[in-house]
Amino acid sequence: MKRHVLLLITGLLLILVVLGWNSRQNPLPEVEASEVVEQNSLHPVVEERKNEWIQRAEQQGIDVVVTDEYRSVEEQDALYAQGRTTQGEIVTRARGGESYHNYGLAVDFALRTPDGELVWDMERDDNGNGEADWTEAVEIAKELGFSWGGDWPGFKDYPHLEMTFGLSLEELRAAEQQNT
């Protein structure tokens, strides 16, 4: 019995060490909402991690292309209107101010095939290692501190990555109101 308890405690400690190591691998700095709303571009940490993500994916033979990043509220509203009051397919559920893109904390991406075509194919394995390139790219992004829209409950946004620094959209909107 004592041996089982000792093995259990040892296993738990090992898990804590591993989880602690992973969380320190690329820790995110503390960021204030007021700092985020002052920018009209990607937040500098998001920009840095995006570039590192692209580089690390490239080292794995995966060509990641960022298709969208910072969006103004007006651009977001225009996207929201698409498929509703203007031509095209619905591409977002977020109105202006309701997307982390509006605060420079999100990016959308695609993969470029060897022949130069942009694809959103989550099963493709162009680097030939037996694992879907999309999955590999997402895992690298998560290691760098991004959250993936494919992990969301309900609506899935597979090309979407965000780094919120624990800030809610409500906090960002409130900071924006104070800033104006």
Side-chain angles (χ1 to χ4, degrees), residues 25 34 48 63 68 108 114 124 159 177:
Q25 196 171 10
S34 58
E48 176 186 306
D63 190 358
D68 207 358
D108 292 337
R124 214 175 159 95
Q177 290 298 318

Side-chain angles (χ1 to χ4, degrees), residues 7 21-22 41 84 113 118 122 128 131 133 135 137 139 175 177:
L7 286 172
W21 179 80
N22 283 337
S41 61
R84 293 178 176 88
T113 66
L118 288 186
M122 294 177 54
E131 187 175 352
D133 295 346
T135 302
E139 289 305 316
Q177 290 298 318

Side-chain angles (χ1 to χ4, degrees), residues 4-34:
H4 288 102
V5 171
L6 182 58
L7 286 172
L8 179 62
I9 291 171
T10 304
L12 289 173
L13 287 173
L14 181 60
I15 289 169
L16 290 174
V17 167
V18 168
L19 289 176
W21 179 80
N22 283 337
S23 67
R24 287 190 305 271
Q25 196 171 10
N26 283 293
L28 292 177
E30 287 191 34
V31 172
E32 299 293 325
S34 58

Side-chain angles (χ1 to χ4, degrees), residues 26-32 36 41-53 99-108 138 140-149 152 160-169 172:
N26 283 293
L28 292 177
E30 287 191 34
V31 172
E32 299 293 325
V36 172
S41 61
L42 276 184
H43 186 278
V45 174
V46 177
E47 178 76 29
E48 176 186 306
R49 300 287 173 94
K50 173 198 81 170
N51 293 335
E52 184 177 347
W53 170 55
S99 170
Y100 283 104
H101 285 284
N102 304 143
Y103 303 98
L105 302 178
V107 299
D108 292 337
V138 166
I140 294 167
K142 287 179 177 182
E143 288 172 10
L144 293 168
F146 285 98
S147 299
W148 179 45
W152 294 347
H160 181 87
L161 297 168
E162 59 188 31
M163 189 175 291
T164 67
F165 303 100
L167 297 169
S168 69
L169 289 167
L172 292 165

Side-chain angles (χ1 to χ4, degrees), residues 53 64-67 107-111 120 134 137-138 158-161:
W53 170 55
V64 170
V65 176
V66 171
T67 58
V107 299
D108 292 337
F109 73 99
L111 301 180
W120 289 263
W134 195 276
V138 166
Y158 296 107
H160 181 87
L161 297 168

